[in-house]
Amino acid sequence: MTSQLLASGINESFLVVILASAVLYGTPLLFAALGELLAERSGVLNLGVEGMMLVGAVMGFWAVQRLDVASGASLALAIGVAAIAGAAMALIHAFLVITLRANQIVSGLALTIFAGALGLSAYLGNDLNLSGFPADHAFTPIDVFGLGDVPVLGPIVFDQSALVYLSWACVLAVGVYLARTRPGLNVRAVGESPAAADAMGINVTVYRYAHTLVGGALAGIGGACFSLQLTPQWVAGLTGGAGWIAVALVIFAFWRADLCLVGAYLFGAFSALPLTLQARGWLTGVPSEVFTSLPYVMTIVVLVAVSSSAAKRRLGAPAALGIPYVREER
Amino acid sequence: MRLERRLEHPRWLLVAVPLGSIAFAFLLMAVVLLATGHNPGATYRRMFDAAFFANGALTSTLVFATPIVFTGLAAAAAFRMQLYNIGGEGQFYWGAIAAVGIALYLGDQGVGSTPVYVLAMSVAGALAGAAWAAIPAVLRAFARTNEIITSLMLNYIAGLVLTYLIIDSHSYWRDTESFEGQTFPLGKAIPDEAKWPSGTLDAFGGIVVPLGFGIAAAVAAVIWAVYSRTRFGYELQVIGDSQRTARFAGMRLRRKILAVMCISGAVAGLGGASFEGDFAYQIDPTGLQASFYGYTGIVVAALARYSPLAVVPVGFFIGGLLNAGFTLQGADFPAGLVGVMQGLILFCALGGEVLVRYRFRLGRGVRRAPDTPSVEAAS
């Protein structure tokens, strides 16, 4: 496909740049979508992804600026801190919806308001005095196997940062976990029919808590992709709706990890397109807002395309998604 | 400790729980403030002073309360029917754009009567908001697309439209004539006659009540009446409780989805019109996008338990918090505090909901057979 396009005269480097930056911009979406996927597979809808990402972004950035260790260790620590911060936010949601049986939609919205661009993430960014400084350490591309110079594939696959490789490992891990392991089977049971899972002796509460928290941790890492790689600095609200796109991605991906990867890179390409076009000075007559709105418009378009067919076949959505499980009331 | 479903919901709990939630949220916030090295007592005193007690505080609290009462009503109207329209933000922007557009147009035509402006701006704002809400409504009704995500994505798109109109183009809305407008992108101001009137309450030391707040209160009363006193409202409640029941009873789901989303959007758009007519007088893309009136409306609606009449006092209270956050912003008042506060109040309200629906029982398991509930209590 690529070679055909090249043969037909499309500028090679342009296509490669778009694909390489699709991976770069898709990575935060991929982390967040995988996290949401795990939570939803256990039956917990968490609309607080945007808030969890922002708190992960600010705390990851804090770790890089304030913990005085070597570059590599500092970045690894930052990812850990971002994951813990994201999980801590998810814990609030988990407690409200699993233990207190609150409405999952409203609780998720509350989490985004609490942690989001005007909430805790801004409070922390301000209180820890993080705004306006570039990151002391940031993730940079690593040329693994020395294959970065290979045409086309080199820049797209072999010249990415550690975060990108970590995200691939996560896709593999989540995919295998859900499809090939006993706990993975249990999660699916909890998401499809918690009453049956309970009767089998699976602890529904523990499974839901665990997957909501891991989902929060992955969202936190996704947020850190912004503050430690893409931007790389702390700006309040820097995710710009990526958390919501991640929620939509899970639906496009029919709740499957491998399709999350495809979807994330598709949306990564939409996010990268305006910058790439601008850098080349192409299509300057078109208002830049048209390109900036592309990821949002495409989210709606793809969601419509998926939902009309999904309505017919009920593709993949966990049957108990969004419904609290109360043993006494089943 | 176990949770046990309540068979009856005592009325006093419906008032006590939201108030208790707010008190508990302030307690939690005090912990956060202490943990980050601020003095909660002093911070709260300054907050309430700035919001409600200082000279002229109530007047500026109303400035913040008016838009969020509108967006709160918009959210309450839709959420009650389990339609999660979180596009209030974008519908509010479109209301503002349409209202300013019509006011500028009428100004160019030389219209001088304020009531004409108020009417035209309100209608234009409501229509624009309803039209923007119609997009997720149609997609939800005919393609079963999740309205949460589509309405939210449309917020970002509406925000980009604002930026385009004022910053990236020489549109009708942009001031290209004045000196400031030529050096810096600014919205064109609406004519003086188009500014909405306000009333002054002398009784409480001269509070200026904007016309928009009165309209918001009237809209709240109308929504309450429609939802609780008409057949339309009754059908909405049935649909909200059980779509299946509604379908079997022959209610038209699609029409109701379209109607409710458009009503919700119209109220949010009217909020945008009132914001321009009462306070802003021109499109300010950065200011509009930074104030998050649409999202705050969701907090207001949830705290009011989606009751339109309760939205007005709750909106006034949250407006006070916003006002305090705005007035006190600076080095010694933590940024983001108001957002954190809103989130905490919402969490506590959600948690408090459990107290309305369930009672806590200590001890494990059922020791004795529970009394057989009487038929009326169970229904």
Side-chain angles (χ1 to χ4, degrees), chain B residues 321-336:
Chain B
L321 292 188
L322 293 184
N323 173 23
F326 179 78
T327 316
L328 300 177
Q329 67 184 346
D332 53 341
F333 190 81

Side-chain angles (χ1 to χ4, degrees), chain A:
Chain A
M1 162 94 181
T2 312
S3 58
Q4 274 171 1
L5 283 174
L6 294 182
S8 66
I10 287 199
N11 188 325
E12 172 192 0
S13 58
F14 177 70
L15 202 69
V16 172
V17 166
I18 278 288
L19 287 174
S21 43
V23 173
L24 190 67
Y25 283 86
T27 302
L29 296 174
L30 182 55
F31 276 115
L34 284 175
E36 181 67 11
L37 172 78
L38 282 173
E40 290 193 13
R41 272 299 183 107
S42 77
V44 177
L45 175 67
N46 188 350
L47 295 182
V49 184
E50 179 83 357
M52 300 189 294
M53 285 180 88
L54 280 167
V55 172
V58 74
M59 289 316 291
F61 189 72
W62 169 83
V64 153
Q65 302 297 85
R66 298 287 187 271
L67 302 182
D68 197 14
V69 285
S71 169
S74 156
L75 287 172
L77 261 176
I79 289 302
V81 170
I84 292 169
M89 293 299 109
L91 181 63
I92 304 175
H93 181 68
F95 176 70
L96 281 170
V97 304
I98 302 171
T99 304
L100 295 185
R101 305 160 194 178
N103 180 323
Q104 298 193 355
I105 294 177
V106 182
S107 169
L109 288 174
L111 183 56
T112 289
I113 290 167
F114 169 74
L118 276 190
L120 189 65
S121 63
Y123 180 83
L124 289 170
N126 188 58
D127 225 50
L128 302 170
N129 196 19
L130 296 175
S131 303
F133 305 99
D136 287 349
H137 312 286
F139 283 95
T140 45
I142 306 167
D143 187 355
V144 280
F145 314 125
L147 293 173
D149 297 330
V150 173
V152 184
L153 271 188
I156 299 171
V157 178
F158 295 111
D159 196 22
Q160 296 285 1
S161 74
L163 272 174
V164 173
Y165 301 129
L166 179 66
S167 72
W168 292 346
C170 285
V171 172
L172 199 67
V174 170
V176 170
Y177 170 72
L178 286 174
R180 294 270 180 271
T181 67
R182 170 60 62 176
L185 182 67
N186 292 350
V187 184
R188 281 152 59 203
V190 169
E192 293 297 336
S193 170
D198 193 15
M200 278 164 63
I202 299 169
N203 190 332
V204 174
T205 308
V206 167
Y207 266 86
R208 288 195 164 172
Y209 261 96
H211 289 84
T212 309
L213 291 190
V214 173
L218 285 172
I221 297 176
C225 293
F226 280 95
S227 59
L228 300 181
Q229 178 168 18
L230 290 177
T231 317
Q233 55 172 323
W234 167 250
V235 185
L238 85 175
T239 51
W244 291 100
I245 296 181
V247 173
L249 262 179
V250 178
I251 304 175
F252 310 157
F254 306 133
W255 289 266
R256 279 172 48 186
D258 48 349
L259 292 179
C260 275
L261 181 114
V262 177
Y265 291 161
L266 186 67
F267 279 88
F270 291 134
S271 312
L273 196 63
L275 298 171
T276 320
L277 288 176
Q278 236 166 29
R280 304 205 160 216
W282 290 1
L283 296 176
T284 42
V286 183
S288 67
E289 283 82 7
V290 172
F291 297 110
T292 320
S293 67
L294 207 56
Y296 310 122
V297 174
M298 288 315 293
T299 304
I300 297 175
V301 170
V302 180
L303 202 57
V304 170
V306 169
S307 53
S308 41
S309 68
K312 283 186 213 121
R313 288 179 284 158
R314 294 196 57 78
L315 279 163
L321 184 59
I323 305 165
Y325 175 62
V326 185
R327 186 184 269 175
E328 296 86 350
E329 289 172 13
R330 65 187 185 211

Side-chain angles (χ1 to χ4, degrees), chain B residues 85-112:
Chain B
N85 172 23
I86 43 181
E89 189 78 27
Q91 292 143 18
F92 188 88
Y93 298 165
W94 273 106
I97 293 172
V100 169
I102 196 100
L104 291 174
Y105 174 78
L106 290 178
D108 287 349
Q109 305 300 311
V111 173

Side-chain angles (χ1 to χ4, degrees), chain B residues 171-354:
Chain B
S171 72
Y172 190 55
W173 284 262
R174 179 165 172 176
D175 178 2
T176 45
E177 278 156 23
S178 76
F179 176 70
E180 292 92 344
Q182 280 171 349
T183 44
F184 191 77
L186 272 183
K188 208 190 287 177
I190 59 176
D192 281 340
E193 298 81 25
K195 296 178 179 171
W196 291 17
S198 57
T200 309
L201 287 182
D202 294 322
F204 303 96
I207 307 167
V208 181
V209 181
L211 176 64
F213 194 78
I215 296 180
V219 169
V222 169
I223 294 181
W224 172 80
V226 167
Y227 272 50
S228 61
R229 293 288 180 270
T230 66
R231 181 188 158 138
F232 176 77
Y234 172 73
E235 294 196 349
L236 293 186
Q237 284 191 5
V238 176
I239 296 172
D241 286 340
S242 163
Q243 288 215 357
R244 206 189 262 181
T245 312
R247 226 177 4 245
F248 285 140
M251 293 173 187
R252 302 200 171 221
L253 277 179
R254 279 184 178 163
R255 284 189 189 183
K256 294 291 182 310
I257 290 173
L258 292 176
V260 167
M261 286 290 280
C262 289
I263 291 172
S264 173
V267 174
L270 188 55
S274 132
F275 178 72
E276 294 299 336
D278 279 320
F279 316 113
Y281 311 132
Q282 64 194 30
I283 299 285
D284 168 16
T286 343
L288 267 175
Q289 289 182 76
S291 40
F292 288 83
Y293 287 128
Y295 298 112
T296 310
I298 297 170
V299 180
V300 172
L303 194 60
R305 305 186 82 248
Y306 314 122
S307 147
L309 293 182
V311 161
V312 180
V314 170
F316 184 76
F317 175 73
I318 301 281
L321 292 188
L322 293 184
N323 173 23
F326 179 78
T327 316
L328 300 177
Q329 67 184 346
D332 53 341
F333 190 81
L337 184 80
V338 171
V340 175
M341 201 63 236
Q342 287 178 31
L344 284 176
I345 291 177
L346 200 44
F347 285 143
C348 293
L350 276 168
E353 205 53 9
V354 83

